[in-house]
Amino acid sequence: MAEEVSCLKARLMEKEKEIVALKNKLALEKNSLIDLQEKVTTLPPLKLKAALSNEDIMRYSRQLILPEFGVQGQLNLSQTSVLVVGCGGLGCPLAQYLAAAGIGRVGLLDYDEVELSNLHRQVLHGEDSQGQAKAQSAAHAVRRLNSTVECIPYHLQLSPENALQLIQQYDIVADCSDNVPTRYLVNDACVLSGKPLVSASALRMEGQLTVYNYRGGPCYRCLYPKPPPPEMVTNCSDGGILGVVPGIMGCFQALEVLKIASGQGSSCGQQLLMFDAQDAKFRSIRLRSKQASCAVCGENPTVTHLVDYEKFCGSAATDKCRRLSLLSKDQRVTVQEYKSIVDNTAAHLLLDVRPLVEVDICHLPTSLNIPLSSLEDRKSEHIRVLKERIGRVKEQMSNESQVPVYVICKLGNDSQKAVQVLEKMSGSEVDFVTVKDICGGLMAWAQKIDPSFPQY
Amino acid sequence: MAAPIAIHLEFGGGAELLFGSVKEHHVTLPNQSEPWDMKQLLVWIRGNMLKERPELFVQGDTVRPGILVLINDADWELMGELEYELQDKDNVVFISTLHGG
Ligand SMILES: [Zn+2]
């Protein structure tokens, strides 16, 4: 009996210990749920730090003994706040190194949520943070790394209405955004509030970095007074990007921010750093000085308050793909309509106009691949194949009507352009054809018709 | 009479896609009565290297917005832009600005 009692008591103690452990874990998790800001609020000033604690000294010892940095550099860092605009491929490594080095306060801004296709380059987010606000997910990772860094996640879109109020509260701004309107907005807000802007960008296998509005140097508008035509702007989901490329550029941004924050200063104020990952080459370019004619930082500025940047650039402040609408309704079919054409085994030609590298990822079994660029350039070997395939479909058809050609791509933009090209060719460069595009492309096919078809 | 000059052209940031995805080009500009300047180089590139859609590269007599021009590793604004007189062995880079992140 006594033995049983002591045995139960022992088990009870064990369970109690378990409860304490679980409670601690819960408290820790609650603690780590950082207040996500949905709008811009006024922050209290950073707490002044007169001296480093013993823990600080141990933690930062390896950078403290650098003569370029030293105790004063560390104290300067702890007094500096940095706004990171965009928690993606650039913002993740940037925020990570700023937090690790002991920056005083970091604002993490992103309107987006974590998706599986982000994880190859946005290295602060994990599989378990899919669907979470990127700002929240990044804040968690930063908090885990260094709990002494004050971290403020903003789940919002930077806009002409909120940008000044937000940027005025930070010492340094880092542009890690992914679209043209936001880059002009951030630049103008930095000029109007007198903040240095550490700006980087990356695409495919290349990266660029400049510090704008710094020590009398040029601003983004001094270099690019006019925005590029929207059709010439490629985003990461269209052009592709190797994750480590923004990783390297984000680390470079962190370096320049840390140099400014610690007091050493940046040498990228009138300089463009270009990185070519394919050839493993860095190149430093001497840039123009601040332009007297600049619309925002010049002698007679015309931009004296924030304007409508989406209108100015003719594109949306997002890197999500644009939806073109070039064709009339009768020139388009839905994926459901195309499915019934396939089911009825109606004679037709399916033309996939994506680049070969994307066709290698996935394609429909009967499609003929001719990239849009080859059609536009009238590549002779492709036109020959096209003629041949149209001829074969014609043979299968019992009546004399025109051969139906259905054009598909990833999302239904290039396919519309291809329809326009093919209509010009119809009856002259190739036999008469009736061309239609498949709305929404292969991604609509995957979502609505065949869930086993890969999405990318 | 100006002698023909050999220059090195580079395209980057996506601008190379307009030139058959080839980043580096060694070209020789033929001799002509006056010296070659950047304005004439753009006309020459348009006529000799850009087969399709030249408007994606040049607009009017200069490059389209969003392309930065570098002459011998310096912003062309520091070198006189369109009026810069090209020298033998000059290095001219046309770089499309990146916006992704
Ligand atoms: Zn300016």
Side-chain angles (χ1 to χ4, degrees), chain A residues 219 222 294 297:
Chain A
C219 82
C222 289
C294 177
C297 80

Side-chain angles (χ1 to χ4, degrees), chain A residues 6-223:
Chain A
S6 70
C7 186
L8 278 174
K9 267 187 181 163
R11 277 182 63 192
L12 197 63
M13 268 173 67
E14 223 170 82
K15 288 288 165 199
E16 266 168 2
K17 263 191 203 159
E18 223 172 283
I19 288 171
V20 172
L22 282 172
K23 271 187 178 164
N24 281 342
K25 206 176 157 198
L26 192 68
L28 208 71
E29 268 172 22
K30 261 194 191 154
N31 206 8
S32 68
L33 268 184
I34 308 158
D35 238 2
L36 191 60
Q37 311 279 312
E38 305 274 355
K39 59 182 200 318
V40 177
T41 53
T42 306
L43 303 168
L46 270 173
K47 276 188 221 91
L48 261 174
K49 196 176 220 174
L52 298 175
S53 68
N54 283 355
E55 202 185 313
D56 289 339
I57 290 171
M58 178 56 87
R59 175 172 204 136
Y60 304 118
S61 54
R62 301 305 188 268
Q63 63 197 38
L64 284 176
I65 58 174
L66 282 174
E68 298 84 355
F69 194 78
V71 171
Q72 195 52 52
Q74 191 67 52
L75 286 169
N76 290 346
L77 272 199
S78 72
Q79 297 303 309
T80 305
S81 58
V82 180
L83 179 68
V84 178
V85 180
C87 301
L90 296 163
C92 282
L94 167 63
Q96 188 175 31
Y97 275 101
L98 294 185
I103 200 89
R105 175 185 281 161
V106 60
L108 298 165
L109 184 143
D110 207 302
Y111 63 90
D112 214 357
E113 284 85 35
V114 179
E115 288 174 37
L116 187 60
S117 66
N118 298 149
L119 300 186
H120 81 117
R121 68 184 189 283
Q122 305 182 9
V123 291
L124 286 183
H125 315 305
E127 288 172 6
D128 57 353
S129 44
Q130 284 178 73
Q132 248 185 50
K134 281 186 188 175
Q136 178 77 279
S137 163
H140 267 275
V142 162
R143 172 68 61 90
R144 218 185 115 254
L145 174 61
N146 192 343
S147 61
T148 67
V149 170
E150 201 185 314
C151 187
I152 300 151
Y154 299 97
H155 183 51
L156 51 86
Q157 170 100 48
L158 197 69
S159 72
E161 288 73 40
N162 62 25
L164 274 181
Q165 198 203 343
L166 183 63
I167 282 173
Q168 275 162 357
Q169 302 189 52
Y170 287 85
D171 301 314
I172 303 170
V173 178
D175 190 347
C176 305
S177 70
D178 55 15
N179 64 81
V180 188
T182 304
R183 290 195 178 265
Y184 279 97
L185 167 62
V186 173
N187 177 70
D188 291 359
C190 283
V191 171
L192 294 177
S193 45
K195 309 289 179 178
L197 171 59
V198 181
S199 178
S201 57
L203 185 70
R204 298 190 189 97
M205 298 287 282
E206 286 178 87
Q208 297 169 353
L209 176 137
T210 299
V211 179
Y212 295 110
N213 195 41
Y214 179 64
R215 293 187 175 166
C219 82
Y220 189 71
R221 273 191 198 257
C222 289
L223 250 72

Side-chain angles (χ1 to χ4, degrees), chain A residues 13 29 167 171 190 225 238 262 312 315 381 385 418 425 435:
Chain A
M13 268 173 67
E29 268 172 22
I167 282 173
D171 301 314
C190 283
D238 277 350
S262 65
F312 174 64
S315 57
E381 69 268 41
V385 177
M425 296 167 71
V435 206

Side-chain angles (χ1 to χ4, degrees), chain A residues 90 175 183 199-203 206-210 212 220 224 245 249-250 252-253 272-276, chain B residues 12-14 66 68 95-100:
Chain A
L90 296 163
D175 190 347
R183 290 195 178 265
S199 178
S201 57
L203 185 70
E206 286 178 87
Q208 297 169 353
L209 176 137
T210 299
Y212 295 110
Y220 189 71
Y224 310 106
V245 177
M249 298 315 294
F252 247 104
Q253 255 177 311
L272 166 67
L273 183 79
M274 304 196 301
F275 173 53
D276 185 328
Chain B
L68 202 60
I95 190 115
S96 187
T97 335
L98 308 176
H99 305 94

Side-chain angles (χ1 to χ4, degrees), chain B residues 39 42-43 46 55 57-64 82:
Chain B
K39 195 171 178 174
L42 289 179
V43 174
R46 189 188 167 133
E55 71 281 4
F57 187 70
V58 282
Q59 270 177 26
D61 62 359
T62 189
V63 290
R64 70 151 172 85
L82 290 166

